[in-house]
Each structure stands twice: as structure tokens, then as C-alpha cells.
Amino acid sequence: MSIADTQLPFSKIRSANGLVFLSGELPIAEQGPMPEGIAAQTDLTLQRIEASLGSMGLGLADVVQVTVHLARAEDFAEFNAAYRRHFRAPLPTRTTVVAQLLLAPAAIEISVVAAMRSQS
């Protein structure tokens, strides 16, 4: 059994005080194997994040903070190129770290904080 198949003790998405917190998302395809390469994994992970935010009526434009965990420092430039395709100004703040990820062959895990839109 993989870590993705277990019930882990955390919420995937929570809102509090006008912010939406999304737990780390991985490049897990709905069908088929995990894509190879950091660009494809970044694209899929951000698509999954966008879908989760959509359940709260939000999108990537509402993201104010991003935390990225990369399995390999040498993937940073290619990751950055893929990341740029998904975010527009004003860009969210971002922290990127190199870390050992628990679900191989994932090369990336991303968590975000988004701001809820004010109701007028």
C-alpha cells in the first residue's frame, strides 16, 4: 500500500479568516502512471491545485503564497519555466526547498494559500 492509498490525519483543504489553505499536492494522474519529468509533473500538480481551489470558487489568480518541495535541485530551472505558465502578475510569494519526497517517483509537491474574494 502506498502513502497515497492511506487515510492520513490532515485536511486537504481548509478555510479560515478569508484564506484557503491547500495541503501539499502531488502529480498524481487520475488515470495512468505519474508523468515523467519535472515540467509535466509541475503542470499536473498545478492543474490539480486549480481543480481543488475551484471547489471553493477560486483559481490560481487567488493564490497569495506557494510552497514548493523539489526532489532535485537540478530541476529548479525547468520547474520555474513550467511554473511561469500558470501564474500571472501579481505573482504569489513563494518558497522553494529541496526535500526528500515520500511518494516516489514524485519530483514535486506544492501547497498553496489563497485569498477568498470579497463578497460585494
Side-chain angles (χ1 to χ4, degrees):
M1 180 178 291
S2 75
I3 194 167
D5 296 330
T6 62
Q7 181 62 37
L8 297 174
F10 61 85
S11 297
K12 178 176 178 168
I13 194 166
R14 291 275 316 263
S15 63
N17 300 318
L19 297 174
V20 174
F21 300 84
L22 182 62
S23 293
E25 190 64 74
L26 294 161
I28 299 171
E30 292 295 322
Q31 305 221 352
M34 187 176 293
E36 293 186 26
I38 192 63
Q41 287 196 16
T42 300
D43 289 337
L44 178 55
T45 302
L46 290 171
Q47 290 165 10
R48 289 175 56 87
I49 288 170
E50 191 165 30
S52 292
L53 291 173
S55 73
M56 304 286 287
L58 302 172
L60 292 179
D62 301 300
V63 172
V64 295
Q65 200 279 326
V66 178
T67 301
V68 180
H69 294 87
L70 291 176
R72 295 178 298 273
E74 57 270 22
D75 286 339
F76 184 72
E78 192 175 348
F79 150 73
N80 239 3
Y83 180 92
R84 287 179 197 275
R85 293 193 295 267
H86 295 271
F87 289 99
R88 305 285 179 256
L91 295 171
T93 64
R94 189 179 87 191
T95 300
T96 305
V97 298
V98 175
Q100 182 177 354
L101 302 179
L102 295 176
L103 184 62
I108 191 166
E109 183 171 344
I110 302 174
S111 60
V112 302
V113 177
M116 299 194 69
R117 298 176 190 150
S118 61
Q119 304 296 323
S120 14

